Amino acid sequence: MGSTERHHFYSDHKNSAETCKLIDQLRRQYKGYRRIYLSWDAAPWHSSEQVLSRVEFFNDWAEHDEVPRIGDIALPAQAQFLNVIESVFSGMARAIIHNSDYATVVEAQTAITRYLEDRNRSFAIAPRRAGRSIWGRERVPATFTVTNNCKDVRYR
């Protein structure tokens, strides 16, 4: 029972508190699953004491709350090119962000949300073909391979 849906929320900050919000959102969305894994890059807020403590707290309550236990898979420092989601982000950025003229942040967020909803809807209809029908603009295929360089270094 796997899923390749992308879940997201908008935040004004990249920090431990926002990471904890994301983790809580995911554990509630995957209620009924036994375990979810989070793949992290080396951003300091991904491995902060606050985040590690919160994950431990969530895992202690997982069975009681009927939500999945949380595991993490940390990527090595300076290895953004191994992070598969970077390939997805690069394709999305080229498709809807670069050379755009959104008048407000809300308009840009709306475009991103629509892009992700379209992708998830296509996946629900045809799970094995969604990547080709929606994304299709990734720098490399959105799969883990040691030879993939998922990060588009032209846009940082």
Side-chain angles (χ1 to χ4, degrees):
M1 180 152 89
S3 173
T4 60
E5 281 192 30
R6 273 44 171 202
H7 297 281
H8 69 287
F9 71 98
Y10 298 101
S11 172
D12 291 332
H13 305 284
K14 294 180 181 180
N15 61 31
S16 297
E18 295 301 302
T19 301
C20 289
K21 284 184 198 175
L22 173 63
I23 293 169
D24 189 39
Q25 177 185 1
L26 290 170
R27 67 191 283 273
R28 285 183 278 114
Q29 286 178 333
Y30 286 96
K31 191 171 187 160
Y33 286 68
R34 289 188 323 229
R35 183 173 294 273
I36 58 174
Y37 289 93
L38 307 172
S39 177
W40 296 130
D41 60 18
W45 52 88
H46 290 157
S47 60
S48 70
E49 182 58 38
Q50 181 181 359
V51 169
L52 297 176
S53 172
R54 193 70 179 159
V55 167
E56 186 177 334
F57 173 81
F58 284 151
N59 282 341
D60 287 346
W61 282 90
E63 188 175 337
H64 178 266
D65 292 342
E66 299 178 353
V67 295
R69 290 187 56 78
I70 300 160
D72 72 316
I73 302 169
L75 294 170
Q78 304 296 315
Q80 302 93 327
F81 58 90
L82 294 176
N83 192 348
V84 172
I85 198 65
E86 294 291 352
S87 183
V88 174
F89 289 159
S90 292
M92 181 176 65
R94 280 192 305 277
I96 61 175
I97 301 296
H98 298 290
N99 302 315
S100 65
D101 61 352
Y102 300 110
T104 67
V105 170
V106 171
E107 284 183 20
Q109 289 174 341
T110 300
I112 292 167
T113 298
R114 184 174 47 248
Y115 190 83
L116 293 171
E117 287 172 350
D118 288 349
R119 186 258 172 225
N120 288 338
R121 190 172 20 264
S122 287
F123 182 79
I125 293 167
R128 296 204 167 147
R129 300 188 55 81
R132 291 188 197 122
S133 64
I134 292 295
W135 296 108
R137 292 183 153 210
E138 294 86 356
R139 178 174 169 75
V140 294
T143 56
F144 179 78
T145 304
V146 294
T147 58
N148 275 359
N149 184 352
C150 300
K151 181 79 173 174
D152 191 340
V153 294
R154 294 176 299 171
Y155 305 106
R156 291 180 185 234

